[in-house]
Amino acid sequence: MRSVNALVAGEQVSPNGSVLDVVDPANAETFAQVPSLDADAVTRAVDAAAAAAPGWAATPPQARAALLARTADLLDARAEQAIDDLRREGGKPRAEAAGEWGKSVATFRYYAGLAGALDGRSFDGGTPGFTTVTRQEPIGPTVAITPWNVPAASPARKLAPALLAGNPMIVKPASATPISAWHMVDALREAGAPDGVAQTVSGSGRVVGNALALDPRIAAVSFTGSTSVGLDLKHALSHTLTRIQLELGGKNAAVVLADADLDAAADRIIAAAYALAGQQCTATSRVIVQQDVHDALLERLVARAEALVPGDTAEASTTYGPLIDEAQLDTVDGFVRRAIDDGARVVTGGKRLDLVGTWYAPTIVAGVDRTSELAREEVFGPVLAVLSVTDVDDAIEVLNGTPYGLSSAVHTSNLHHAWKVAGSSEHGVVAINGPTAGIDLPVPFGGFAASGTDSKEHGPESLRFYTRLKSVTWGWA
Ligand code: NAP
């Protein structure tokens, strides 16, 4: 049994007393334990972050950037163990785990190169002899609350910009997947981060996450997770001035028009629909296909979905992973059963796989009514809903017919149609002849409507959330 710590106020807290069991969903084995902390640990963590904040804010951005670069090297050095932990806690095939880990380390290197982005502007206004300059300043202790589906990538894309901007950060990882976040704060400690600058507090979201977010000394909360918990947090903070960034769910769609390259479209749709077994905020969850090519596309999608290989996640030949737990499997199966009741038909999958662990077959449901639950609500599992439309205008109407607005794609060889869909899409991300998932690091990422607060992660834009802008006017005449 692996024993993994939390890091609070510069101290490694080992899993004695109350613990969280970490289960590998690919084989139902409990393989690790972490401490399940309480409100006392939250107070100690916030005390330490508050004490560290002035010193870290006064550390020059280049020195903070150097810490991130050293951290990236240390994360590389522990990659073998960390990838294995990520593979097991998240139930990810090894290539998927290695890909997420590599992108997470690259996130630290990317922000290590962005110290110069903490710049300002100068104005010579209407008053002679006066010039104003703007400064991007740190805001104080911050909290990251992260989901189980990307246990490494989500903490990385919050920790790196928060620390570069001069703020301590406390990470509350999802209870199902608490190990990758600890690797990151531990590497930051090893790289020389002062006590309190980077911490993890593992434990229940309702207890630890809530107490962290509501502590009045916390300047900002970056939350990635479900829309319902995100909205509850926003409500709980509504009487405070604590900043909150919400990165929430999606009902992402790929539009496929009659003139698309159907093989290329099918490749991209399948990759984005079934990576992480569909448990990805940007997973393709709907295919909106022009009726002329409906059958031809469906045939290609089914062939590719049925070629995915579930099994031992340590094997290179495994290309498809399990769901995180039984509750998620029941949720996914419930969506499929209700879609059948709504008149849709399962073309492939639609059932649990006969393997130990929580496995559900890659599923395609056709004949989905555009007003039905499966067309509008996030499943967060390996279920692709296929909807038929008449033309590009009809496709746009269906594309925007959900409460969400995270990611979308259009497949076409017609430039006019491509830009018409991109310009009309009510989603924060649009890919033309590309997948809905897999956003590059410099690209601003975040959703509209029920998908979040439109406060971007990734890229230099991420630094805005973690800084405040001060205008300094000086008279020189
Ligand atoms: P979740 O249930 O909302 O949990 C997310 C995090 O919030 C976990 O760390 C959880 O801790 C914590 N939490 C739960 N209740 C809380 C409370 N009352 N106060 C404070 N924290 C609380 O979401 P999930 O099931 O882990 O993740 C799946 C969701 O995340 C999907 O909807 C997916 O679309 C979304 N997501 C969005 C993005 C994006 O960038 N837009 C990326 C990835 C995932 P516990 O684990 O201890 O409950």
Side-chain angles (χ1 to χ4, degrees):
M1 177 79 76
R2 231 171 112 43
S3 170
V4 178
N5 297 336
L7 186 66
V8 180
E11 279 174 30
Q12 302 279 0
V13 184
S14 55
N16 298 315
S18 185
V19 297
L20 293 174
D21 286 331
V22 188
V23 178
D24 181 343
N27 53 25
E29 203 181 292
T30 299
F31 74 98
Q33 288 187 323
V34 298
S36 178
L37 298 177
D38 56 15
D40 284 348
V42 169
T43 304
R44 277 189 289 125
V46 181
D47 286 349
W56 189 241
T59 304
Q62 290 292 358
R64 297 179 213 141
L67 177 91
L68 298 184
R70 287 197 300 281
T71 302
D73 291 343
L74 290 164
L75 290 171
D76 272 341
R78 61 171 79 188
E80 197 177 330
Q81 177 70 61
I83 290 169
D84 205 53
D85 286 337
L86 178 55
R87 173 180 74 78
R88 300 206 71 191
E89 68 176 348
K92 295 167 189 271
R94 196 181 182 287
E96 248 176 34
E100 182 179 337
W101 185 256
K103 192 167 179 182
S104 305
V105 178
T107 304
F108 281 87
R109 287 216 170 85
Y110 174 75
Y111 283 100
L114 279 196
L118 294 165
D119 56 7
R121 291 191 289 155
S122 76
F123 311 86
D124 283 326
T127 314
F130 284 87
T131 295
T132 296
V133 294
T134 60
R135 285 163 49 83
Q136 291 187 69
E137 296 184 340
I139 53 175
T142 60
V143 163
I145 301 179
T146 57
W148 46 260
N149 67 318
V150 274
S154 188
R157 70 173 73 133
K158 299 182 192 301
L159 274 167
L163 266 60
L164 179 70
N167 310 299
M169 179 166 260
I170 304 165
V171 183
K172 204 312 269 178
S175 295
T177 57
I179 304 178
S180 298
W182 174 80
H183 276 298
M184 283 173 203
V185 299
D186 191 53
L188 281 158
R189 176 200 59 75
E190 213 181 325
D195 290 353
V197 165
Q199 308 180 75
T200 45
V201 183
S202 45
S204 145
R206 253 172 293 132
V207 178
V208 167
N210 202 54
L212 280 170
L214 293 184
D215 190 297
R217 293 169 294 172
I218 296 300
V221 179
S222 178
F223 171 87
T224 300
S226 62
T227 300
S228 62
V229 174
L231 287 179
D232 283 351
L233 268 180
K234 190 164 187 285
H235 179 69
L237 288 173
S238 62
H239 64 289
T240 75
L241 294 173
T242 307
R243 288 186 191 183
I244 182 159
Q245 175 179 55
L246 300 178
E247 302 290 349
L248 307 174
K251 186 68 188 175
N252 316 296
V255 170
V256 182
L257 298 178
D259 55 14
D261 175 338
L262 296 185
D263 285 312
D267 286 344
R268 292 172 189 138
I269 290 166
I270 292 296
Y274 300 116
L276 281 65
Q279 302 163 112
Q280 192 173 12
C281 56
T282 50
T284 304
S285 167
R286 295 177 292 156
V287 174
I288 300 165
V289 55
Q290 203 166 348
Q291 59 195 12
D292 321 51
V293 291
H294 175 278
D295 292 355
L297 181 70
L298 191 57
E299 190 186 316
R300 285 166 170 79
L301 293 174
V302 170
R304 284 161 175 77
E306 291 180 350
L308 291 166
V309 182
D312 184 347
T313 53
E315 290 292 332
S317 55
T318 300
T319 57
Y320 180 75
L323 299 182
I324 191 72
D325 56 23
E326 289 291 339
Q328 193 64 15
L329 196 145
D330 285 347
T331 300
V332 169
D333 194 52
F335 271 101
V336 174
R337 300 297 128 219
R338 290 190 295 278
I340 295 167
D341 292 345
D342 285 342
R345 85 195 142 87
V346 172
V347 188
T348 187
K351 58 178 193 294
R352 186 177 193 134
L353 290 174
D354 190 16
L355 294 167
V356 177
T358 41
W359 295 84
Y360 200 81
T363 297
I364 297 179
V365 182
V368 175
D369 186 284
R370 60 184 66 186
T371 61
S372 67
E373 179 192 56
L374 194 63
R376 290 174 48 79
E377 297 300 332
E378 181 183 53
V379 176
F380 218 55
V383 180
L384 196 53
V386 181
L387 296 100
S388 183
V389 291
T390 51
D391 56 20
V392 66
D393 293 315
D394 198 23
I396 290 168
E397 190 178 315
V398 175
L399 174 66
N400 292 334
T402 82
Y404 296 98
L406 192 52
S407 186
S408 56
V410 54
H411 298 272
T412 178
S413 54
N414 180 311
L415 190 60
H416 172 69
H417 286 161
W419 278 100
K420 188 168 187 181
V421 174
S424 310
S425 174
E426 295 288 338
H427 295 71
V429 174
V430 188
I432 296 171
N433 293 325
T436 58
I439 314 293
D440 282 340
L441 279 176
V443 178
F445 171 68
F448 302 153
S451 292
T453 44
D454 189 27
S455 155
K456 303 298 182 191
E457 295 201 298
H458 287 211
E461 283 74 11
S462 185
L463 296 171
R464 290 191 192 150
F465 180 71
Y466 295 109
T467 52
R468 63 184 187 185
L469 200 64
K470 182 183 281 177
S471 302
V472 181
T473 301
W474 53 290
W476 48 269

